[in-house]
Amino acid sequence: MLRAKLHNLNALPNTHLIKCPFVFKDFSNIDYIYIKSNAPAKNILNKTVVSQKLNIVGIVESKVGNLYKVKTVFNSNFVADCFIINNGNYYRSIFKGSQNKPKIEFLNTRSIIQKNDQVVTSGLIGNIPPNINVGTIEKIYEVRGFYKIALVKIDKTFLNDSFVYVVN
């Protein structure tokens, strides 16, 4: 099984965090937030955004005027390759965002997971670095014996903060 250093983004070579204030364009829609940064666009676009607690917030999608648009984990089009960690074993899965029921899909039925297991990014597919906390398992369903789906509890406390970090 794969092993990882959790919550230690500085363990990644050439990684640093860019502190950015953020705002909502529409407080009723948390699918997107908008961040402000003076850093060059190459250091911001398509990068991962994390909270002050180093939980994943989303991915910088585009530049809109003097702000950057961030697709959050609450967006139904947000997808990340992940691991669920249970007793030192890592089970690969796909995280799909949602405001109401973010979830893990396509878990092998032999995956031994349980409530409160930690979910972290794998770093194996896409631009999202490994070992960023996504959340914890809240509930598990088996789909006709073919695969499992697990609902994920996400830390929403960053919504009360005034800034986030871009992982560069």
Side-chain angles (χ1 to χ4, degrees):
M1 286 294 148
L2 297 170
R3 302 285 178 209
K5 293 181 181 178
L6 302 177
H7 302 298
N8 190 359
L9 296 177
N10 294 325
L12 298 173
N14 303 319
T15 298
H16 71 279
L17 302 176
I18 301 170
K19 185 176 179 179
C20 300
F22 77 94
V23 295
F24 296 97
K25 289 258 180 159
D26 176 359
F27 288 105
S28 66
N29 180 4
I30 58 175
D31 284 359
Y32 292 95
I33 62 170
Y34 295 81
I35 60 174
K36 184 170 179 80
S37 177
N38 294 326
K42 69 176 184 174
N43 294 344
I44 302 291
L45 287 173
N46 301 313
K47 302 292 183 181
T48 303
V49 177
V50 296
S51 69
Q52 294 176 40
K53 294 179 181 178
L54 299 181
N55 295 316
I56 194 162
V57 169
I59 300 291
V60 181
E61 193 172 74
S62 61
K63 186 162 184 168
V64 180
N66 64 342
L67 299 173
Y68 292 94
K69 185 177 182 180
V70 177
K71 182 191 314 181
T72 70
V73 293
F74 305 112
N75 188 306
S76 61
N77 291 321
F78 183 90
V79 177
D81 193 70
C82 292
F83 289 121
I84 298 174
I85 305 168
N86 176 285
N87 292 322
N89 294 315
Y90 286 59
Y91 299 99
R92 194 162 175 204
S93 58
I94 302 294
F95 172 82
K96 295 179 82 177
S98 168
Q99 285 190 30
N100 299 317
K101 293 186 177 181
K103 61 186 171 182
I104 293 288
E105 288 190 343
F106 309 114
L107 267 166
N108 186 312
T109 54
R110 292 175 288 169
S111 300
I112 302 167
I113 61 171
Q114 57 191 10
K115 186 176 178 177
N116 296 321
D117 282 351
Q118 187 173 12
V119 179
V120 298
T121 58
S122 72
L124 298 174
I125 296 176
N127 294 330
I128 302 174
N131 308 319
I132 298 175
N133 187 53
V134 175
T136 57
I137 298 299
E138 194 167 41
K139 197 169 193 177
I140 304 156
Y141 302 95
E142 192 164 314
V143 180
R144 294 184 222 121
F146 294 111
Y147 62 94
K148 291 180 183 179
I149 293 176
L151 299 183
V152 179
K153 182 178 180 184
I154 296 176
D155 181 11
K156 296 180 183 180
T157 59
F158 83 88
L159 296 169
N160 298 319
D161 296 336
S162 57
F163 64 90
V164 291
Y165 294 99
V166 175
V167 180
N168 185 12

